[in-house]
């Protein structure tokens, strides 16, 4: 139920959210009093006058025990409560509040841990927050946990011509050598701008961002002679600051087809790794007051988190330039190149074993002999993978999403863990396998200093779950929770380095270690907020697929919206549409019966079940019932002796052959005393 409360003069004394709750409690039954309030000057509306649900602010939850919830008692509890308050945007944190009940999830848990590491000066394992999700519980665990020093992340001298790449950049450079000019890792940002656009202010804003973030002036080059330590690896070269020119392209026509074609042309252009920059931005003009801003960045210098950084800074800078009050963004003490140097040094530190060796030992054990995902496909798997992809949408309504949240909290897991268990169950049911490995991206911003940088920090974790024994879904969740927590505790090993060190048996037709990915985006999507303009995000249709099958879910006000990306060389669109329906049906079954065993959870819709049980079994046909079956076969053999009659495996019989065999068998049975109404037992293998 959504409540919109209008403050009238007679009720103005009920100004605070808690007063408002008391006011309603005096007048409504308890079950009608909401636990969350949003106070607005006015409801945000879409251009067509409807409520813009995406623009609604986050609710502020009010606990039942306000006033009685004990607050922090020790300095450490105060520190933890302060960090939670910042990350969760909750004003008051009690020592017995549950982090996940207040809206926490895996990404926010990572943010909490990175801040605590910085404040406390020692390692804070992510697992502790899941095992002790209250301020009091986490304080007790941290008090007894052993502290370990962390390597400081500082700026390195820029006297060397070239600096090392991060492991992710090194992998992207290698992929570009294998398949040059591929658009597979191009990340497009496109927005439609309605109103009077200040081209000069937008150009100055982009120039400021490029000057501010070195990674946007970086090229990935291979020049062993110029590297600082003489290694034989690609390096990064940072170009000096220059003004950016924002090209303006006018469309001869403003129809949707022309817009899509223009955007695709911008996205498909290749990047020159050696020359840089690894991004491009174009302003497309449809009319004097209608523009498209298309910014395409290569994944080697950009990730999903970076999108929020870029759009936030672009909004602030453009607003300042338009209002003739330029904004001074806080300086960045470190840059992406500093992180690349730190990443290699940090993995090498430690005694008696380096961090790299410790983390590698876990993954070597966890991923030993991981089997490939062998889904039934519509087309034979090609010898070399094709990157051409298709996309199918699915939707989990708000009520179902809320039920998933509740089930997750009851089980002590995050929403992502529940969705991962559901996705792995679907893959197991389709493939017949019980050992399922799924990849998932993780932000990789392991220190607070990295949260304001543009760059590729995202890492990939391989989550391998054992589904053997047909466990209940609740029992499977316990397995998935353990797998996820262990993976989070070893998330610092770059996936690129993991593949290099594990050296899995390579099958060129499949991606290494996993072939399916799951992504959950449950944080607010970044938007461009600029004065004088109405901004509308423009979806850019992708025509590629990085893996056999990927499910991306985005949480919005009306539920979870999903997209299944698939390789068209393997699957037909109808197959993936059916798989999407099966996933939704399975989730509905999980909510209804979480203790049900996974092999018995429903997959088929009512229509599919009817077709399977009734439709495909409705095989009645009229035939001359006065004649026996062998007489009908004889008559058909006389009419079409060479027509195909029976197929079994590799063997096939035509009607002439079928009739001849039947006659031979009949004569044999008669010779052994078989006549009418004498039963004959048949003991033969199926054929």
């Amino acid at each position: 139920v959504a409540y919109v409360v209008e403050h009238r003069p007679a009720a103005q004394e009920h100004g605070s959210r808690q007063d408002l709750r008391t006011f309603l409690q005096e007048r409504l039954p308890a079950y009608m009093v909401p636990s969350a309030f949003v106070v607005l000057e006015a409801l945000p509306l879409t251009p067509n006058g409807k409520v813009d649900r995406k623009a609604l602010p986050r609710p502020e939850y009010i606990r039942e025990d306000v006033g009685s919830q004990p607050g922090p008692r020790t300095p450490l509890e105060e520190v933890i409560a302060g960090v939670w308050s910042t990350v969760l945007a909750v004003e008051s944190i009690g020592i017995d509040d549950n982090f996940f009940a207040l809206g926490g999830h895996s990404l926010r848990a990572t943010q909490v841990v990175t801040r605590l590491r910085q404040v406390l000066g020692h390692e804070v394992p992510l697992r502790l927050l899941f095992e002790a999700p209250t301020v009091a519980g986490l304080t007790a665990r941290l008090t007894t946990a052993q502290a370990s020093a962390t390597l400081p992340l500082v700026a390195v001298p820029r006297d060397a011509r070239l600096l090392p790449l991060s492991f992710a950049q090194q992998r992207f450079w290698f992929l570009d050598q294998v398949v040059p000019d591929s658009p597979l890792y191009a990340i497009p940002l496109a927005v439609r701008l309605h109103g009077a656009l200040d081209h000069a202010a937008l150009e100055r804003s982009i120039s400021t961002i490029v000057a501010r973030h070195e990674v946007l002036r970086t090229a990935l080059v291979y020049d062993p002679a110029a590297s600082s330590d003489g290694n034989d690896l690609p390096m990064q070269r940072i170009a000096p600051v220059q003004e950016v020119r924002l090209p303006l392209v006018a469309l001869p026509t403003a129809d949707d087809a022309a817009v899509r074609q223009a955007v695709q042309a911008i996205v498909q252009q290749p990047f020159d790794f050696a020359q840089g920059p690894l991004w491009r931005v174009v302003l497309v003009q449809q009319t004097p007051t209608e523009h498209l801003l298309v910014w395409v960045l290569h994944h080697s210098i950009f990730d999903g988190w970076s999108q929020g950084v870029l759009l936030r800074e672009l909004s602030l800078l453009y607003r300042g330039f338009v209002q003739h009050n330029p904004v001074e963004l806080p300086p960045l003490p470190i840059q992406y190149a500093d992180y690349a140097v730190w990443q290699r040094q940090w993995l090498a530190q430690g005694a008696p074993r380096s961090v790299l060796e410790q983390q590698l030992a876990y993954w070597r054990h966890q991923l030993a002999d991981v089997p490939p995902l062998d889904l039934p496909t519509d087309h034979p798997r090609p010898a070399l993978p094709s990157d051409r992809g298709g996309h199918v949408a699915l939707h989990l309504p708000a009520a179902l999403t809320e039920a998933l949240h509740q089930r997750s909290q009851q089980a002590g897991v995050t929403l992502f863990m529940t969705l991962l268990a559901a996705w792995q169950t679907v893959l197991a049911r389709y493939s017949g396998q019980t050992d399922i490995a799924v990849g998932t991206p993780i932000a990789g911003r392991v220190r607070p200093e990295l949260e304001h940088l543009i760059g590729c920090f995202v890492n990939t974790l391989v989550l391998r779950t054992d589904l053997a024994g047909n466990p209940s879904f609740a029992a499977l969740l316990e397995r998935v929770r353990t797998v996820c927590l262990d993976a989070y505790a070893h998330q610092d090993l770059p996936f690129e380095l993991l593949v290099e060190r594990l050296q899995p048996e390579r099958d060129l037709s499949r991606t290494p270690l996993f072939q399916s990915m799951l992504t959950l985006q449950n944080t607010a999507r970044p938007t461009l907020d600029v004065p004088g303009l109405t901004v509308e995000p423009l979806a850019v249709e992708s025509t590629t697929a990085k893996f056999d099958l990927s499910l991306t879910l985005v949480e919005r006000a009306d539920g979870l919206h999903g997209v299944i990306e698939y390789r068209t060389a393997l699957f037909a669109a109808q197959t993936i549409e059916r798989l999407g329906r099966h996933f939704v049906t399975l989730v509905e079954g999980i909510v209804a019966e979480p203790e049900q065993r996974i092999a018995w959870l429903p997959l088929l819709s009512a229509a599919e079940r009817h077709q399977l049980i009734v439709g495909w079994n409705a095989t009645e046909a009229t035939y001359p019932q006065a004649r026996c079956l062998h007489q009908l076969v004889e008559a058909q053999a006389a009419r079409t002796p060479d027509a195909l009659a029976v197929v079994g495996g590799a063997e096939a019989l035509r009607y002439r052959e079928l009739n001849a065999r039947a006659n031979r068998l009949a004569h044999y049975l008669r010779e052994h005393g078989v006549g009418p109404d004498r039963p004959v037992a048949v003991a033969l293998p199926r054929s």
Side-chain angles (χ1 to χ4, degrees):
V1 179
Y3 288 81
V4 178
V5 180
E6 182 180 4
H7 286 267
R8 298 182 181 277
Q12 284 182 350
E13 66 272 15
H14 309 290
S16 74
R17 290 166 176 78
Q18 186 55 41
D19 288 344
L20 186 60
R21 182 180 181 84
T22 304
F23 176 78
L24 292 176
Q25 284 176 329
E26 295 171 353
R27 291 160 175 78
L28 296 174
Y31 72 90
M32 293 183 67
V33 179
S35 60
F37 294 85
V38 178
V39 178
L40 300 170
E41 294 289 336
L43 285 174
L45 302 178
T46 62
N48 59 8
K50 295 183 178 180
V51 175
D52 187 354
R53 294 179 179 273
K54 299 176 186 177
L56 288 173
R58 184 178 169 190
E60 296 184 17
Y61 289 89
I62 299 177
R63 295 188 299 270
E64 295 288 345
D65 54 353
V66 169
S68 62
Q69 178 75 265
R73 302 160 298 185
T74 67
L76 182 55
E77 286 182 348
E78 289 181 2
V79 168
I80 296 173
V83 171
W84 284 23
S85 178
T86 301
V87 172
L88 296 173
V90 175
E91 293 182 6
S92 176
I93 301 290
I95 62 170
D96 294 323
D97 279 331
N98 187 292
F99 176 79
F100 299 102
L102 292 175
H105 48 68
S106 300
L107 179 57
R108 290 187 177 132
T110 301
Q111 289 180 275
V112 164
V113 167
T114 58
R115 282 167 167 77
L116 288 176
R117 285 172 182 164
Q118 184 184 43
V119 174
L120 302 178
H122 60 74
E123 188 67 24
V124 179
L126 184 61
R127 173 186 283 274
L128 290 186
L129 183 54
F130 283 86
E131 295 176 347
T134 64
V135 171
L138 185 58
T139 300
R141 297 294 297 273
L142 286 177
T143 302
T144 58
Q146 290 185 348
S148 61
T150 58
L151 182 70
L153 204 173
V154 297
V156 299
R158 295 296 193 267
D159 50 2
R161 268 188 63 196
L162 301 177
L163 291 169
L165 301 181
S166 69
F167 287 104
Q169 287 180 320
Q170 187 172 308
R171 176 70 173 169
F172 284 122
W173 178 88
F174 173 76
L175 292 173
D176 185 68
Q177 306 307 302
V178 177
V179 186
D181 302 336
S182 170
L184 185 61
Y185 294 102
I187 302 177
L189 303 180
V191 292
R192 196 185 298 271
L193 306 173
H194 307 270
L197 176 68
D198 189 329
H199 185 277
L202 184 57
E203 194 172 66
R204 290 179 65 189
S205 302
I206 295 173
S207 291
T208 304
I209 293 173
V210 174
R212 175 176 167 81
H213 294 274
E214 287 182 352
V215 74
L216 298 178
R217 294 180 276 116
T218 295
L220 312 186
V221 300
Y222 180 69
D223 186 4
S227 65
S228 58
D229 55 5
N231 65 43
D232 192 21
L233 295 171
M235 307 287 281
Q236 57 179 297
R237 177 188 291 126
I238 302 169
V241 175
Q242 293 182 339
E243 292 296 320
V244 173
R245 294 292 173 237
L246 177 59
L248 180 65
V249 177
L251 287 182
T253 176
D255 62 77
D256 291 342
V259 171
R260 288 195 299 270
Q261 185 176 1
V263 172
Q264 283 295 336
I266 297 170
V267 173
Q268 296 292 328
Q269 293 178 32
F271 291 108
D272 188 337
F273 274 50
Q275 296 299 320
L278 297 177
W279 58 269
R280 73 179 62 88
V281 62
V282 177
L283 188 64
V284 180
Q285 185 181 54
Q286 295 179 266
T287 70
T289 58
E290 299 283 334
H291 294 82
L292 296 174
L293 180 65
V294 184
W295 200 330
V296 186
L297 304 100
H298 194 274
H299 202 353
S300 60
I301 62 165
F302 201 72
D303 58 16
W305 187 301
S306 299
Q307 180 176 340
V309 176
L310 187 148
L311 293 179
R312 184 169 56 253
E313 292 188 357
L314 186 60
S315 300
L316 291 171
L317 291 168
Y318 181 84
R319 181 183 298 273
F321 288 130
V322 167
Q323 297 174 348
H324 305 290
N325 184 24
V327 174
E328 288 292 334
L329 296 174
L332 297 174
I334 61 168
Q335 293 282 343
Y336 187 80
D338 303 314
Y339 160 77
V341 173
W342 173 87
Q343 181 188 45
R344 294 175 181 273
Q345 293 175 345
W346 184 80
L347 286 172
Q349 76 164 357
R353 292 193 303 171
S354 68
V355 175
L356 171 61
E357 292 171 331
Q358 296 172 39
Q359 301 232 347
L360 189 58
Y362 164 78
W363 288 111
R364 183 173 282 118
H365 171 75
Q366 177 68 9
L367 301 179
D369 301 320
V370 59
L373 181 62
D374 193 15
L375 294 170
T377 60
D378 297 299
H379 314 295
R381 181 177 293 274
L384 294 176
S386 168
D387 294 331
R388 294 190 61 82
H391 302 80
V392 168
L394 59 85
H395 179 224
L396 278 65
L400 180 57
T401 302
E402 179 59 29
L404 279 177
H405 275 292
Q406 293 176 1
R407 290 294 185 191
S408 300
Q409 289 185 12
Q410 292 167 3
V413 301
T414 63
L415 177 62
F416 171 79
M417 294 176 186
T418 301
L419 293 169
L420 173 63
W423 183 239
Q424 289 181 317
T425 298
V426 169
L427 296 178
R429 296 275 293 271
Y430 263 65
S431 65
Q433 299 170 251
T434 57
D435 188 352
I436 305 293
V438 170
T440 190
I442 193 164
R445 311 259 174 164
V446 294
R447 297 178 64 97
E449 306 98 300
L450 306 178
E451 294 182 3
H452 304 291
L453 288 181
I454 292 174
C456 180
F457 298 92
V458 67
N459 195 16
T460 301
L461 299 181
V462 186
L463 305 176
R464 181 185 185 183
T465 306
D466 178 13
L467 290 83
N470 191 23
S472 67
F473 188 80
L476 176 62
L477 268 183
E478 288 294 320
R479 300 183 189 182
V480 167
R481 182 179 186 271
T482 300
V483 167
C484 289
L485 292 181
D486 287 344
Y488 296 155
H490 299 86
Q491 65 172 290
D492 302 308
L493 183 65
F495 178 75
E496 297 76 18
L497 190 57
L498 175 65
V499 175
E500 177 187 317
R501 294 300 178 92
L502 290 187
Q503 295 185 345
E505 184 177 346
R506 293 306 303 267
D507 177 355
L508 295 180
S509 67
R510 304 174 191 266
T511 51
L513 299 181
F514 68 91
Q515 293 78 47
S516 177
M517 177 168 271
L518 174 66
T519 304
L520 173 62
Q521 299 173 2
N522 52 0
T523 56
R525 293 189 302 168
T527 57
L528 187 62
D529 181 18
V530 289
L533 293 172
T534 302
V535 181
E536 177 189 348
L538 182 66
V540 180
E541 182 179 356
S542 173
T543 59
T544 61
K546 299 180 180 67
F547 303 96
D548 291 357
L549 208 59
S550 299
L551 172 60
T552 299
L553 293 162
V554 179
E555 189 169 6
R556 299 177 185 167
D558 60 343
L560 284 164
H561 290 259
V563 173
I564 302 179
E565 179 184 277
Y566 64 96
R567 284 184 166 159
T568 54
L570 297 175
F571 303 104
Q574 295 88 339
T575 298
I576 305 304
E577 290 169 358
R578 184 167 58 249
L579 185 146
R581 293 195 299 269
H582 290 169
F583 176 75
V584 175
T585 301
L586 181 91
V587 170
E588 292 171 344
I590 290 167
V591 168
E593 294 184 275
E595 296 296 334
Q596 181 62 275
R597 294 189 178 275
I598 60 175
W600 301 339
L601 286 167
L603 279 186
L604 303 180
S605 65
E608 288 176 319
R609 183 175 295 275
H610 183 272
Q611 183 186 46
L612 180 67
I613 297 175
V614 179
W616 286 344
N617 287 300
T619 57
E620 299 88 351
T622 57
Y623 65 96
Q625 298 188 19
R627 304 173 68 183
C628 295
L629 178 61
H630 71 281
Q631 293 172 326
L632 296 176
V633 173
E634 287 176 341
Q636 187 65 33
R639 286 193 300 269
T640 57
D642 294 321
L644 201 59
V646 181
V647 177
E651 189 176 8
L653 297 178
R654 303 190 182 279
Y655 272 101
R656 178 191 292 110
E657 298 165 330
L658 175 63
N659 193 43
R661 288 197 185 190
N663 286 335
R664 286 199 299 271
L665 180 58
H667 287 295
Y668 174 83
L669 293 174
R670 289 174 63 178
E671 290 173 0
H672 287 77
V674 175
D677 301 323
R678 294 289 301 274
V680 177
V682 179
L684 290 172
R686 290 179 178 271
S687 66

